[in-house]
């Protein structure tokens, strides 16, 4: 931690600042310049609240010089985390496609979509059985029946399963059916859920919250990692800004940013980021070009009848075309699909 | 719902749009102008996703003309909701003060603070026993021991209790000790928690999420209300913007906005909104001047030793001064404190 | 400047970083901790781009430890800047009211409004003659004719004049008619305009841009100050966020923040911040309670016929009521109106 | 315009709303549903302020059903605008590269960079002679001397010139040296500048402001178009959000969004959007994959000595690699570079 002092700090104020730092367990080095005096406070306290020093008389600014996360950081682990499930590897040379409907609606629907996405080259089937809906009057998902259908459809077409878990009470049930737990954007800082999923052994995809900085996303990953589960991947799905023509603003720069700061894989979800079907294809291409380790998109056989998110779901033909194009983009940057 | 058509829509496209609207259960009125043709789609479907129509060929724009919430709206209930607990009424002429530490830390601390805030005129004691911390390495709260201390301190000094509930598993435990459940900003869209708290009978304070529009906040309130619990108050505690000198941006306009759109009381929390002690007093005054039904602030007897949020906690003297000033502001606008 | 090094920095990389700092003219102090080594780079270069160091191999983070503005800062000038024009003082104990129409429209309109606001206690008449409109098809202002009417109306009712200048070419013309130049939000970083107004001798009110941090606002003030004009006041008028129920988000915390960082007065404009008439009164009260040195509001005798911003203009009676209420609020905090 | 009425609107209020609409020149159609009554107000008034109706008693919501821009809209002109300068066409199948230093610094620098970018395949040389700097103490550009060098370097290596114009006074000077005028992000709503550039005959690149919606960007384009100059291209260069790891948030979805709403070409600037050199390559790839009609990047032969923006400037080798990669991406989507 670096503490910048005000020019006119009194001796007494300076002593007080130093005493506080020492009481908090820091070793203090003073460095005096022509215009500014600076204290270096040495000693790692990952969770220290720098405002404790900021409010002292005579202090101009305080900077934390260590990242607040550790296990998630690239400096802790140099090599990329690779998540291996059956034959699929996430975080290596392959760009992995996760596709499927927003919600599991019935057997015919999920089987038909599973077949479509499998044939086009997807490796993982997505589909919600428990749905976090902003309106209490909207379809809330099929529950366990949906999980069973999802698993059966995936097994039939040689796909893995990813599905969302909304609360700690659902973990043990969902664990029986899924290969990957998904934590939704609205639960990114549901710390109870992060902690309990950190104690499971299955891979987890953590979605970025609507107002979450990349640093916050990595802190939430740290919750899971510090509870023991190391198989974490992150997902960029758009943040909230003032722009209104799209549902959210797709922050694709987050992909190279995460890759620099962390060893965890990053998936990109253009369906939720843009919210409209005709923007999904160009933004999926862009995400792969930016270096995403995987893409998640919503696909529906009859989007006009979908119980949720139909408008952002791709038609089967559009999905096949998307697979074709992103495959070529992946190859340009030395990856495979 | 109003559907604006493109100027050059073909007859076939128009038929298709009308058919879709009718299939979704709407009655359709067509109104043709010089430059634009508009369809009115009549029929209330609170959760209809307008993107279902937006993506059809020939459609330029779609507007939802009804608010997505019902029970929370002023048009559903004209009179202010008044929440009465023991002798305290929230949502009427009184501006209610909720004060206390961020976290319950030990018996001496909570009793000492309870005495201070009670003497200065607060009616409700705040204090966390289960803490949602962004870092897994930070103090996570005392749990049930903390709840017991909080209740005992409040009873001793004739205060009510408000404390945060983080997950559905904690509801029955916390219910034994608290008068008001607090839902934190990061859980504003934890729909499982909203639903289960909607089935309890104690008042609930719902904090606005960091990226939540006022409309989203009212939708989350709707979750609680539609599950049966009508005693809901909202809390403005700052939203996330690009400004960095303050922790968050305190959106005080949300107070008159909520009062126009909804009948629910609004509390303002300047401690979390600004994040620094010296901004709490002016912003508490501003919140009362803007019409807040209550103020929540953090107070600590020894903020420099606080286990959490010390830097934004008021010292006892500062709290007494704040009470004096906001009381006078309240009187200017015909309210009491 | 503080340069935090990566844990595994090589000797050669370290030498390179130090050489760069020295080449840029900094004196370098090294301070080695258990986990982190930090370089202090001493020497004031207000405009140094820290990214020059951030991109070097082996560098983890770089922090600028001096504020980028100087003349605008509280550390440069301890006492509040007081701007005195005729008998009016801005930045002292008085809270000054600036009121008037969005645009000057005709003689009858501006005289009638000038009379209304003067009688109710305003000191300064606002009114635009050159209007920055987002649409090229909107009313663009009366130009010099408008300036003449504005001056005449103000003189008749013993008011000062504030009006907006949009480009450097207009400065000498507007200077003949106004007492205070206003720089609009959209021109906050029109650096040519800032520079040229810095060479004039009349007071200037600089409005905060829609996406400007308080730091940016102070940097723009620095442009004016460094060109010689010390009579600068700032204006908070709302920033752009994701919230849609109000036109902008009124960042009232900026008032105490500016007062801490700078010696310049701050005016608050609730009309532009909220965009709707019924929110102006509560937010004007809140602004005074937060410590604003002045309030600017739009008033119109016939808002329904206004050529611009009618919907956010107060009716004469509403303005009189506002004056009454904010006067009482001002007194609570030891100020006058 | 569609006016949604409150359920309990009185007959007198309804008459008043209708009278207002008719006074403003609209023809009114009433359409009554079970729960909601809606008025359609027919008649095109591009600049009508809907808040004039929103504030009337009995009105619940008002929606503008026509876009506020006309000449810029895809419905006004179906075919893409193609801007042809010498042999270069912007807005057609080619993806055009604009590259060069942030500022022209001296003859050796600009000639050396012009040679580098020309050899690697760029068509247009960028370089600032008048620089909009946030600090008054930063390098402000070489002025006319810079323009001369820029022109000479471009001619020597068969490149076109793009350079920024900051104020109306500079237009006639810069016109002598440039092929394309650039309007910077901070001047996007400098309406005087837009108007005067609209009267020139050279192509214009308009950069999106930090807090500008795509709609605002198109409105600013409308200013130029409505003054006669039809050769307008837009530029996405990042918007301001709460994220801090990057300088701005690169809103790549704006590319397909503009292409749907408007016929104007879109250029993407990853250098300003991300602010750090190592993010420029992946984001340039992503921009081309998203459909950008051109890319603008900063290149410097000695970025460590650059007078401005060195840290986000590419080294010559990095630029050559970027050209190679984006060329391949362009081909995947049927374009050329």
């Amino acid at each position: 931690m670096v503490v910048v002092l005000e020019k006119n700090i009194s001796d007494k104020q300076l002593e007080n600042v130093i005493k506080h730092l020492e009481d908090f367990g820091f070793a203090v080095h003073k460095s005096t310049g022509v215009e500014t005096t600076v204290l270096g406070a040495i000693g790692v306290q990952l969770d220290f609240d720098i405002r404790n020093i900021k409010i002292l008389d005579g202090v101009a600014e305080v900077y934390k010089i260590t990242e607040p996360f550790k296990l998630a950081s690239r400096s802790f682990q140099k090599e990329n985390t690779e998540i291996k499930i059956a034959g699929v590897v996430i975080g290596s040379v392959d760009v992995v496609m996760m596709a499927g409907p927003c919600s599991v609606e019935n057997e015919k629907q999920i089987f038909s979509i599973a077949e479509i996405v499998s044939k086009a080259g997807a490796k993982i089937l997505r589909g919600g059985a428990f749905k976090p809906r902003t309106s209490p009057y909207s379809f809330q998902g099929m529950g366990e029946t949906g999980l069973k259908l999802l698993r059966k459809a995936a097994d039939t077409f040689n796909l893995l399963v990813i599905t969302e878990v909304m609360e700690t009470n659902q973990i043990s049930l969902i664990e029986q059916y899924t290969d990957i737990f998904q934590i939704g954007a609205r639960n990114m800082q549901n710390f109870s859920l992060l902690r309990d999923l950190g104690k499971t052994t299955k891979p987890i995809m953590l979605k970025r919250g609507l107002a979450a900085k990349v640093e916050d996303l990595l802190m939430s990953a740290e919750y899971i990692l510090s509870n023991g589960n190391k198989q974490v991947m992150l997902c960029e799905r758009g943040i909230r800004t003032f722009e209104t023509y799209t549902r959210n603003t797709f922050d694709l720069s987050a992909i190279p940013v995460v890759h620099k700061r962390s060893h965890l894989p990053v998936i990109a979800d253009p369906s939720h980021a843009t919210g409209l079907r005709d923007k999904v294809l160009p933004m999926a291409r862009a995400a792969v070009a930016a270096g995403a380790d995987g893409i998640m998109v919503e696909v529906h056989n009859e989007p006009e009848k979908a119980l949720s998110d139909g408008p952002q779901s791709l038609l089967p033909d559009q999905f096949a075309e998307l697979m074709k194009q992103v495959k070529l983009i992946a190859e340009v940057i030395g990856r495979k699909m």
Side-chain angles (χ1 to χ4, degrees), chain A:
Chain A
M1 191 169 51
V2 172
V3 182
V4 184
L5 303 173
E6 288 185 355
K7 282 174 209 170
N8 54 353
I9 188 172
S10 71
D11 287 352
K12 208 178 146 187
Q13 288 172 331
L14 178 57
E15 272 169 43
N16 184 47
V17 174
I18 292 173
K19 186 175 178 311
H20 269 81
L21 288 168
E22 290 174 348
D23 287 355
F24 278 118
F26 292 98
V28 181
H29 293 199
K30 193 170 114 184
S31 145
T32 308
V34 187
E35 296 235 358
T36 322
T37 299
V38 162
L39 301 179
I42 311 294
V44 175
Q45 300 190 17
L46 278 178
D47 66 330
F48 185 74
D49 185 341
I50 59 170
R51 295 177 302 160
N52 283 308
I53 302 304
K54 220 169 177 172
I55 53 168
L56 299 179
D57 287 337
V59 172
E61 282 296 344
V62 183
Y63 302 97
K64 204 158 185 171
I65 60 175
T66 39
E67 284 171 323
F69 46 88
K70 184 180 167 187
L71 305 177
S73 76
R74 182 67 84 178
S75 59
F76 178 79
Q77 180 187 314
K78 286 274 162 277
E79 313 72 39
N80 289 342
T81 285
E82 297 187 0
I83 298 172
K84 296 170 193 172
I85 322 166
V88 176
V89 186
I90 301 166
S92 180
V93 72
D94 282 322
V95 179
V96 176
M97 177 59 72
M98 307 176 175
C102 177
S103 307
V104 181
E105 298 169 19
N106 57 61
E107 180 159 1
K108 184 155 171 285
Q109 172 241 23
I110 191 65
F111 270 72
S112 140
I113 297 172
E115 183 171 13
I116 290 162
V117 302
S118 170
K119 280 193 176 158
K123 300 290 183 204
I124 302 174
L125 181 66
R126 63 151 289 153
F130 297 96
K131 300 299 302 173
R133 304 301 298 276
T134 45
S135 167
Y137 311 117
S138 296
F139 175 59
Q140 311 274 326
M142 292 181 78
E144 186 168 8
T145 313
L147 292 174
K148 284 182 181 162
L149 293 175
L150 185 65
R151 181 78 262 168
K152 212 168 123 193
D155 288 346
T156 307
F157 296 101
N158 196 27
L159 295 162
L160 296 175
V161 163
I162 182 169
T163 198
E164 179 163 354
V165 52
M166 284 176 64
E167 48 179 306
T168 57
N169 291 339
Q170 296 167 346
I171 295 177
S172 59
L173 172 68
I174 294 178
E175 203 166 21
Q176 302 167 41
Y177 298 101
T178 198
D179 297 299
I180 306 173
F181 287 112
Q182 175 178 315
I183 302 174
R186 289 170 183 75
N187 274 324
M188 192 202 84
Q189 293 192 318
N190 181 334
F191 301 115
S192 310
L193 186 61
L194 298 176
R195 180 199 59 212
D196 288 356
L197 283 170
K199 294 172 184 160
T200 67
T201 56
K202 290 201 166 170
I204 293 165
M205 185 177 84
L206 175 66
K207 289 193 140 189
R208 181 180 184 184
L210 271 78
K213 299 187 199 193
V214 170
E215 185 182 293
D216 301 320
L217 177 61
L218 291 170
M219 282 306 292
S220 287
E222 187 83 6
Y223 253 89
I224 304 171
L225 296 168
S226 66
N227 276 286
N229 189 332
K230 307 296 182 200
Q231 300 187 82
V232 177
M233 64 195 100
L234 308 171
C235 179
E236 162 62 34
R237 44 79 72 210
I239 56 173
R240 187 164 267 186
T241 71
F242 51 80
E243 178 56 53
T244 51
Y245 279 158
T246 44
R247 193 179 188 183
N248 295 296
T249 295
F250 203 13
D251 180 14
L252 286 176
S253 306
I255 296 170
V257 165
V258 168
H259 281 160
K260 184 166 186 198
R261 303 264 171 178
S262 178
H263 49 85
L264 301 172
V266 194
I267 311 300
D269 174 349
S271 301
H272 285 88
T274 63
L276 279 174
R277 188 185 298 152
D278 63 347
K279 307 294 180 290
V280 173
L281 171 57
M283 299 321 290
R285 289 192 314 241
V288 173
D293 298 301
I295 301 290
M296 170 177 264
V297 294
E298 291 185 347
V299 177
H300 203 285
N301 53 337
E302 297 176 293
E304 293 163 16
K305 296 189 183 159
L307 294 180
S308 56
D309 273 354
Q312 71 194 31
S313 298
L314 295 172
L315 296 162
D317 283 359
Q318 292 174 321
F319 179 66
E321 177 63 24
L322 181 148
M323 284 299 293
K324 215 177 80 185
Q325 293 194 17
V326 293
K327 197 172 180 310
L328 292 170
I329 302 267
E331 285 161 7
V332 169
I333 59 167
R335 301 191 73 163
K336 289 192 303 180
M337 192 129 196

